[in-house]
């Protein structure tokens, strides 16, 4: 579980992937930091006092929030029970997950990873080597878009000896490239054109003209008083040349069925002739039909009812927008 054999490969990979992009503090960014730690050693190693660690790190943002960080520091001011200085170094590889958004001034984080430590007393050949599993947390405050200060603490579990050490730390770093879009660029971007509104099609309206021409008893002659109504129907059909109509003749119940059928057909033909010959509606647009006494609309037992049933009806309708 030693890192020395892979240290060169990791450093090379970070440098190879640290090409700067146009924007700051997010995916593709590189952070370089100098830091100081206070190592609170575990009791098993019998050190007389805790050590000061000074070092640096380089990190690469895999996403806007996830950073892979490689760090190196050296141990100072630690002493053994015999008073001799303790010297050594730590190499660590950690992953950091940042909260808030890339570009925010304050970005808390949590971290996890592994480190390798090699320390020993000055003047002695033997050295103590340990591998640690690290977890920690802290926050970065971006003084400018590229300059930040950091404070945090790590718990380091000594996998080889089974003890835990603590290391609070502070650091100053620089951020280069990568990340979220600056607000100014978003504000200056040209707005997308609004789609053209779809035309609202007004619903069609039905327009209609109805004709009801009354006849004297046993007559098929169109009375003068009905010509105005027939002209209104003709004008409507001229205004809407796609329309057609059927004029329907009817009688009262006086007389035989055959006689009344023939009389109703004559009445329908008389109205059609006025429409076509007098008011100029095309003949193919007007047809005539007789229904005899079969479709009364009033009571044939009374004179007034029979007068209503002696009629010719027509209806023309169309849809307009």
């Amino acid at each position: 579980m030693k890192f020395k054999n892979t240290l060169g490969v990791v450093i090379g990979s970070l440098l190879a992937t640290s090409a700067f992009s146009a924007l700051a503090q997010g995916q593709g960014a590189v952070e370089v930091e100098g830091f100081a730690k206070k190592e609170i050693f575990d009791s098993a190693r019998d050190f007389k006092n805790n050590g000061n660690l000074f070092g640096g790190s380089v990190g690469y943002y895999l996403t806007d929030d996830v950073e892979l960080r490689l760090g190196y520091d050296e141990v100072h001011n630690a002493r053994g029970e015999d008073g001799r200085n303790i010297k050594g170094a730590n190499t660590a590889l950690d992953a950091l997950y940042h909260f808030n958004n890339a570009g925010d001034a304050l970005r808390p984080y949590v971290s996890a990873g592994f480190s390798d430590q090699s320390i020993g007393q000055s003047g002695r050949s033997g050295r103590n080597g340990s591998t640690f599993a690290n977890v920690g947390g802290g926050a970065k405050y971006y003084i400018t878009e590229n300059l930040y200060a950091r404070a945090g603490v790590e718990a380091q579990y000594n996998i080889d000896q089974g003890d835990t050490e603590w290391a609070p730390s502070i650091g100053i770093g620089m951020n280069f490239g990568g990340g979220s879009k600056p607000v100014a660029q978003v504000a200056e971007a040209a707005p997308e054109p609004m789609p053209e509104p779809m035309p609202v099609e007004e619903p069609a309206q039905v327009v209609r003209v109805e004709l009801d021409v009354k006849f004297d008893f046993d007559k098929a002659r169109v009375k003068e008083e009905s010509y105005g109504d027939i002209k209104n129907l003709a004008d409507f059909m001229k205004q809407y040349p796609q329309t057609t109509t059927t004029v329907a003749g009817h009688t009262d119940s006086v007389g035989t069925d055959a006689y009344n059928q023939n009389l109703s057909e004559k009445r329908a033909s008389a109205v059609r002739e006025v429409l076509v010959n007098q008011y100029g509606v095309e003949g193919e647009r007007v047809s005539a039909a007789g229904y005899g006494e079969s479709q009364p609309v009033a009571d044939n037992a009374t004179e007034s009812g029979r007068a209503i049933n002696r009629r010719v009806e027509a209806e023309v309708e169309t849809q307009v927008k």
Side-chain angles (χ1 to χ4, degrees):
M1 301 181 67
K2 307 303 183 187
F3 286 17
K4 292 181 179 179
N5 294 336
T6 60
L7 180 58
V9 174
V10 173
I11 293 175
S13 299
L14 285 173
L15 294 177
T17 57
S18 64
F20 297 163
S21 58
L23 307 167
Q25 300 179 17
Q27 183 175 7
V30 173
E31 285 187 344
V32 178
E33 179 184 312
F35 61 82
K37 291 183 180 180
K38 186 70 172 180
E39 184 82 5
I40 303 172
F41 293 110
D42 63 68
S43 60
R45 295 205 263 184
D46 296 326
F47 291 160
K48 191 173 183 179
N49 62 304
N50 298 314
N52 299 321
L53 283 66
F54 303 97
S57 67
V58 59
Y60 177 76
Y61 279 79
L62 303 175
T63 71
D64 281 359
D65 302 319
V66 178
E67 177 188 9
L68 189 63
R69 183 181 67 185
L70 180 66
Y72 175 82
D73 59 73
E74 294 187 349
V75 180
H76 296 270
N77 300 330
R79 293 183 181 275
E81 288 294 326
D82 58 2
R84 290 178 179 267
N85 288 333
I86 303 298
K87 297 287 186 179
N90 298 281
T91 303
L93 182 63
D94 295 295
L96 281 69
Y97 181 85
H98 297 78
F99 300 94
N100 293 343
N101 298 316
D104 288 351
L106 183 65
R107 299 207 72 187
Y109 69 87
V110 293
S111 64
F114 296 93
S115 61
D116 178 82
Q117 184 184 82
S118 177
I119 58 176
Q121 291 185 337
S122 299
R124 294 188 179 184
S125 58
R127 301 184 69 78
N128 177 269
S130 299
T131 299
F132 294 87
N134 309 321
V135 293
K140 297 177 182 178
Y141 180 77
Y142 287 86
I143 302 166
T144 69
E145 189 174 78
N146 302 107
L147 176 66
Y148 70 90
R150 182 189 61 81
V153 63
E154 288 182 332
Q156 301 173 314
Y157 176 73
N158 193 323
I159 297 173
D160 299 318
Q161 297 181 190
D163 289 314
T164 301
E165 297 180 353
W166 297 87
S169 65
I170 57 173
I172 293 290
M174 295 289 293
N175 180 291
F176 304 94
S180 300
K181 295 182 179 180
V183 174
Q185 290 190 10
V186 175
E188 293 172 2
E192 294 186 4
M194 294 292 290
E196 290 291 332
M198 295 294 292
V200 178
E201 186 173 343
E202 295 183 1
Q205 296 180 339
V206 176
V207 291
R208 177 186 294 111
V209 171
E210 296 179 352
L211 179 66
D212 187 358
V213 178
K214 294 297 191 291
F215 288 81
D216 291 334
F217 176 73
D218 199 25
K219 302 294 183 183
R221 183 181 65 83
V222 178
K223 294 188 285 187
E224 291 293 332
E225 62 194 54
S226 298
Y227 275 70
D229 292 336
I230 299 174
K231 183 178 185 301
N232 289 339
L233 179 66
D235 292 342
F236 184 87
M237 294 184 70
K238 290 177 182 179
Q239 182 179 356
Y240 300 104
Q242 77 279 11
T243 57
T244 61
T245 190
T246 298
V247 290
H250 304 273
T251 69
D252 58 27
S253 60
V254 178
T256 65
D257 289 346
Y259 182 86
N260 286 334
Q261 177 63 35
N262 182 56
L263 179 58
S264 67
E265 292 173 358
K266 289 180 179 179
R267 289 173 175 171
S269 296
V271 173
R272 179 184 182 277
E273 184 176 351
V274 175
L275 279 170
V276 173
N277 296 331
Q278 186 159 341
Y279 294 124
V281 179
E282 294 87 346
E284 64 271 14
R285 296 173 59 198
V286 183
S287 57
Y291 296 94
E293 60 184 82
S294 64
Q295 297 181 5
V297 293
D299 187 359
N300 277 311
T302 66
E303 176 56 35
S304 60
R306 290 192 292 274
I308 293 173
N309 289 332
R310 297 192 293 267
R311 71 198 189 279
V312 165
E313 297 175 327
E315 180 180 289
V316 181
E317 73 174 26
T318 188
Q319 291 185 337
V320 295
K321 295 182 180 180

